[in-house]
Amino acid sequence: MAPLRGRVVVVTGASGGVGRAVVRELGAQGAKVALIARGTTGLGAAAVDVGVEGGTGQVYEADVAEYEQVRAAAERIEKEMGPISVWINTAFSSVFAKFTDITPEEYERTTAVTYLGYVWGTKVALDLMRPRNAGAIVQTGSALSQRGIPLQSAYCGAKHAIKGFTESVRTELLADRSNVRVTLVQLPAVNTPQFDWVLSKLRRHPQPVPPIYQPEVAARAIVYAAAHPERKEYWVGTSTVATLLAQRVAPALVDRYLARTGTQSQVTDDKQPTGVANLWEPADESTDYGAHGSFDDRSHARSPQVWLSQHRGPVLLGLAGGAAAAAVAAVRRLRRA
């Protein structure tokens, strides 16, 4: 089944990483994909990927930190491709560094891209969807939206803000009895070019905190959420589940654990920083980085937890049925005894 076939879906940050994997997955479903990002080469290659997978892709260059650029791109999309059914926010940038080593300008730019980029995308999408009383917005979140870690204060702060902002918007839509849906997909550590092109002030090459998942795992979950946006939130990966639950149960203990291990777990022992930075300018203006980062040999291509989460109704029903059958069998054994 391809519930998004023929529908217009916007993806920000479409040229690389999770966004790049998302547009491929949408192409495989036969969607009409509008790709928003800054990097010309990456965007062009992503549009080709959509076509190869069986969909239709069109490129719209825009900096998501600039509201007017996002609005202009959306107006072009509706004129050239048709009414937008789904808007997926994935674009971000950041700085790998201790908070005290980040300049005010770098912090402001990270917040503008990673947080306000979602705000502007959501505002533009709602302005178009609410009059039609139909549509879905998918926010790409992170386990770090509820649990901050060392060296990523700018990113964690933006992801926390996205969660709070999204919850506020969702309650307003519910109060209005709107049929427009907003959902949040909380991701684990993912093997994307993020660790090759985000501004780093570390002495060693940054890495995702293990366990690491391939971007296709995230993409399948995000596209599923786009087709099933009724749920408030989706969690992807056992590490995300463990992190979010630990934060709820023992946040002070998690603080101390991350103080001891959080820095070392985010740097490699055998690689130097690339020197590339996409905070101010796109890294894929002339180079296509694709969806994957440099940790393929350590990344998981599947997550059983995602399937269980998406099918929790049938799973719980099956478990209940199994328990009932076991109880009946036990009663029969007791009667025979």
Side-chain angles (χ1 to χ4, degrees), residues 3-12 14 22-23 26-27 29-36 50 56-58 60 77 81-89 129 136 138 222-223 226-227:
L4 300 177
R5 182 176 298 280
R7 296 169 65 182
V8 178
V9 182
V10 176
V11 181
T12 70
V22 166
V23 302
L26 290 168
Q29 289 207 12
K32 298 164 66 177
V33 188
L35 303 93
I36 294 180
V50 175
T56 302
Q58 292 194 40
Y60 298 88
I77 291 165
M81 301 185 72
I84 296 169
S85 294
V86 179
W87 188 290
I88 301 175
N89 285 310
M129 293 174 179
V138 181
I222 290 168
V223 173

Side-chain angles (χ1 to χ4, degrees), residues 201-332:
K201 300 187 177 183
L202 309 178
R203 293 182 179 179
R204 289 181 285 167
H205 192 286
Q207 69 172 8
V209 179
I212 309 168
Y213 292 86
Q214 294 288 26
E216 288 76 16
V217 175
R220 289 191 293 267
I222 290 168
V223 173
Y224 181 91
H228 304 84
E230 298 80 13
R231 191 187 302 183
K232 173 183 177 180
E233 195 167 295
Y234 290 89
W235 294 0
V236 179
T238 53
S239 56
T240 297
V241 175
T243 298
L244 298 183
L245 293 180
Q247 178 64 13
R248 291 181 181 181
V249 174
L253 182 62
V254 178
D255 280 346
R256 290 193 289 273
Y257 172 77
L258 288 171
R260 292 196 308 270
T261 68
T263 297
Q264 187 63 32
S265 65
Q266 292 187 81
V267 293
T268 65
D269 294 327
D270 56 352
K271 296 180 65 177
Q272 296 298 316
T274 63
V276 178
N278 76 341
L279 185 62
W280 303 102
E281 303 292 338
D284 54 353
E285 183 67 34
S286 57
T287 301
D288 177 27
Y289 280 79
H292 288 221
S294 52
F295 302 95
D296 279 333
D297 58 335
R298 298 165 51 193
S299 301
H300 302 286
R302 298 194 177 279
S303 172
Q305 174 274 333
V306 174
W307 186 91
L308 290 171
S309 172
Q310 294 170 351
H311 299 85
R312 61 184 182 180
V315 169
L316 291 174
L317 184 61
L319 291 174
V328 170
V331 170
R332 287 175 177 172

Side-chain angles (χ1 to χ4, degrees), residues 127-167:
D127 285 347
L128 296 169
M129 293 174 179
R130 288 184 69 223
R132 299 192 286 260
N133 198 29
I137 300 169
V138 181
Q139 314 285 40
T140 304
S142 168
L144 303 186
S145 71
Q146 297 181 53
R147 172 64 259 176
I149 64 175
L151 307 180
Q152 295 204 49
S153 63
Y155 180 83
C156 292
K159 288 298 184 180
H160 275 67
I162 289 166
K163 179 174 171 58
F165 159 74
T166 300
E167 289 174 344

